Amino acid sequence: MAHLIRRAGFGANGAEIDAAAKAGYEATVGVLVGPAGADPGAASTPPPDFPLAKDQKKGSAPQDYELVGWWLARMAAVTQPLVEKRTFFWHGHFATSLQKVKSVGFMLKQNQTLRTLGGGDFSALAHAMVRDPAMMLWLDSAGNTLKAPNENLARELMELFTLGVGNYTETDVREAARALTGWRLDVNGGATLVPRLHDATSKTVLGKSADFDDASLVDWLVQQPASPKFIAARAWNRFGMPGPIPDDVSGRLQAAYGANRDFSALLKALFLDPVFRGPQARYALVKQPAEYVVGVLRALKIKIDTGQNSKDVQALRTALSGLGQIPFYPPNVGGWPEGTAWLTTAAAQTRFVFAEWAVGRGDLSEVATASPSQRLDAVAHLLGVDAFTDRSSAALREVVADPKQLVTLALIAPEYLVN
């Protein structure tokens, strides 16, 4: 149960695990994937009001900090964490960076689209992304014309978004780029087709000749047999285990995804899969920095101020910068790295500084009120750690007399860094 809640959200604490254990595994999966009613945590963290315009200048920090702080606060506050975890997954899948887009309004709009459409028909999400203003700026499709087709969006649409490497040719990229011509950003922050700039002639993509436009191109790509297999593998790598997805797992996830390309059904099948529930998947992933930071905020019940010039947001930005993952700033179109790339010597020092900051702000009452002999169990319960190894336990027992030191060290223990 702790494994499930860690993967479907941002860490787990003892109270969440205890409540889920009473409800049962299958019932908990159902609630996580298909939550009922509004989320009070989301309601308490409404999105900022930013203009839809390409107006963000490099080095203009206040709105940038407000955007990042808002999403961190929402991820920490929600009671339906899979919605935000899924949005974070899609943010890495359709990776787009504010550094080039330079519009907090466009980045927020994309974030809301990922959240709204990310649990349903994948084709609807893919359709939205090819006309998304932030994506258009990020991959230069806002200047794509029939006389000079830009291949960036066409290539990434196939390689990173729908099919995967090896499932298309360079000719397919060139032909698909022609299908995506003619789109421009309008004064209202939306996308508008300019017919005279669009190539309306026949194109041949993946063996089919037609007068493809952006909509029919996306429809054709998601119909390819490689697409559901690719999406299943991407989900498995982020929610299940690293490395190639086992064939039997892939088959089960693709069957759940089905003709409706239902990503929530795929996630439900993933969480119920015997391989996911088995020992080989447990602790197989390393927490991404944003997952780690948000998990600490949630476990210690830290409420952060998200206003402009917020010292809380500055502290979180410093930590995430040191760890190498600031939301809205993926390093490239492929998104962030995964696995042991996050376990560096420099990152260990950053985690320690962040853990000290969090302990100074957080609720340690569960550990502080326990007797010294019970504090090791109390900190494991607080942080949702199944058990510390003998080596970690020996180190933690040396500081059980000081709850702050104990929680600080537990937050940087290997058992808390894995997922």
Side-chain angles (χ1 to χ4, degrees):
M1 192 66 77
H3 168 64
L4 168 66
I5 295 174
R6 284 192 293 265
R7 294 295 178 80
F10 303 93
N13 60 50
E16 291 176 309
I17 297 167
D18 293 344
K22 291 180 180 179
Y25 190 90
E26 288 76 10
T28 299
V29 169
V31 170
L32 287 168
V33 175
D39 186 328
S44 69
T45 52
D49 184 16
F50 294 133
L52 289 174
K54 188 175 181 293
D55 58 2
Q56 180 76 359
K57 297 179 181 179
K58 188 174 182 180
S60 178
Q63 286 189 328
D64 164 11
Y65 273 47
E66 188 178 357
L67 176 65
V68 174
W70 161 75
W71 198 15
L72 292 172
R74 172 165 287 198
M75 287 189 279
V78 291
T79 59
Q80 300 167 1
L82 183 56
V83 174
E84 295 306 313
K85 182 69 169 284
R86 187 186 66 212
T87 303
F88 189 71
F89 164 78
W90 288 125
H91 179 40
H93 184 88
F94 292 102
T96 307
S97 176
L98 182 57
Q99 184 171 13
K100 181 177 180 180
V101 175
K102 294 181 172 61
S103 168
V104 290
F106 287 158
M107 292 300 292
L108 177 60
K109 180 179 179 179
Q110 184 187 84
N111 183 267
Q112 296 283 53
T113 299
L114 297 176
R115 182 176 293 102
T116 302
L117 300 180
D121 181 346
F122 173 73
S123 64
L125 180 58
H127 277 292
M129 283 298 104
V130 296
R131 298 184 188 180
D132 177 77
M135 182 65 73
M136 291 173 67
L137 291 169
W138 175 236
L139 293 180
D140 306 305
S141 68
N144 200 358
T145 70
L146 76 162
K147 292 185 178 180
N150 187 294
E151 297 178 1
N152 288 356
L153 179 57
R155 183 179 304 280
E156 308 312 346
L157 181 60
M158 289 188 275
E159 179 178 330
L160 296 176
F161 302 162
T162 62
L163 301 178
V165 177
N167 293 305
Y168 61 91
T169 67
E170 287 302 305
T171 298
D172 292 323
V173 172
R174 290 190 291 271
E175 295 288 279
R178 294 171 53 214
L180 298 172
T181 54
W183 287 92
R184 291 292 181 271
L185 297 181
D186 59 39
V187 294
N188 298 315
T192 301
L193 180 67
V194 181
R196 63 182 176 80
L197 301 178
H198 173 64
D199 187 338
T201 62
S202 180
K203 305 99 181 167
T204 302
V205 180
L206 297 169
K208 179 180 179 179
S209 297
D211 180 12
F212 284 109
D213 58 11
D214 69 315
S216 57
L217 174 64
V218 169
D219 286 339
W220 181 233
L221 295 180
V222 299
Q223 290 171 27
Q224 300 305 304
S227 185
K229 184 175 181 180
F230 174 69
I231 297 301
R234 292 282 291 196
W236 183 249
N237 268 257
R238 290 301 189 186
F239 291 92
M241 290 175 60
I245 183 172
D247 289 341
D248 56 339
V249 176
S250 180
R252 290 190 288 269
L253 299 194
Q254 290 181 64
Y257 184 68
N260 293 326
R261 303 175 187 90
D262 187 337
F263 192 71
S264 286
L266 184 153
L267 283 182
K268 184 175 183 179
L270 188 156
F271 294 138
L272 293 174
D273 197 89
V275 178
F276 176 84
R277 298 175 69 169
Q280 63 267 52
R282 202 162 301 164
Y283 297 124
L285 298 175
V286 175
K287 288 178 181 173
Q288 296 183 73
E291 293 176 317
Y292 173 81
V293 167
V294 172
V296 173
L297 296 177
R298 291 175 67 90
L300 302 188
K301 301 180 178 67
I302 298 173
K303 305 292 184 183
I304 62 173
D305 169 26
T306 60
Q308 292 187 5
N309 302 314
S310 163
K311 291 184 179 180
D312 288 346
V313 175
Q314 289 176 9
L316 296 175
R317 285 280 300 241
T318 298
L320 288 167
S321 178
L323 295 174
Q325 187 180 50
I326 299 177
F328 301 107
Y329 284 97
N332 53 58
V333 72
W336 287 281
E338 57 187 44
T340 55
W342 301 119
L343 302 180
T344 65
T345 302
Q349 177 63 26
T350 300
R351 283 194 189 90
F352 181 74
V353 173
F354 169 69
E356 286 191 314
W357 173 86
V359 164
R361 294 287 312 277
D363 179 0
L364 310 184
S365 57
E366 181 175 351
V367 177
T369 57
S371 65
S373 63
Q374 297 297 315
R375 280 181 180 163
L376 198 56
D377 289 337
V379 75
H381 187 265
L382 174 68
L383 302 182
V385 173
D386 298 345
F388 291 106
T389 63
D390 291 344
R391 185 176 182 180
S392 292
S393 296
L396 293 171
R397 285 195 186 97
E398 293 182 7
V399 294
V400 292
D402 186 334
K404 287 188 174 182
Q405 284 193 48
L406 176 59
V407 177
T408 299
L409 292 185
L411 289 174
I412 61 173
E415 293 81 0
Y416 191 67
L417 303 183
V418 292
N419 198 2

